[in-house]
Amino acid sequence: MIKNKKLIILFSLILMIMLFSNIFAANIKSYKPKYGITTSKINLRISNNTEKSSIVRTLNKNINIKMIGEIGNFYIVQLASNEVRFCF
């Protein structure tokens, strides 16, 4: 019983940290979207961790993109297909 209670408290603490921390998510609601056109090839990733997230797609020059957020040096972009990805 005590072991289950400790697990529940630990899980709740981790969940609260994830929900209220900018480490795991970007505050997209307060970010005013920016629109642009790629000026060179850019690599898109699933997350902003370059060590754990491989390139999932490369955009060529002159592609319209919508930047909907930022995390560190990465932009969160939304493509015309409504795909959301990270780019450096």
Side-chain angles (χ1 to χ4, degrees), residues 22-57:
N22 285 336
I23 294 172
F24 298 103
N27 188 357
I28 294 175
K29 291 181 182 178
S30 64
Y31 188 88
K32 185 177 178 184
K34 299 174 187 175
Y35 298 86
I37 298 174
T38 58
T39 57
S40 63
K41 286 187 175 184
I42 61 170
N43 297 321
L44 301 181
R45 301 173 181 272
I46 293 175
S47 78
N48 64 331
N49 186 335
T50 56
E51 293 176 10
K52 295 183 180 181
S53 178
S54 60
I55 297 167
V56 293
R57 186 170 170 190

Side-chain angles (χ1 to χ4, degrees), residues 7-22:
L7 286 174
I8 291 171
I9 292 171
L10 179 62
F11 177 75
S12 299
L13 180 62
I14 292 170
L15 183 61
M16 286 183 355
I17 290 170
M18 289 174 65
L19 290 174
F20 297 109
S21 174
N22 285 336

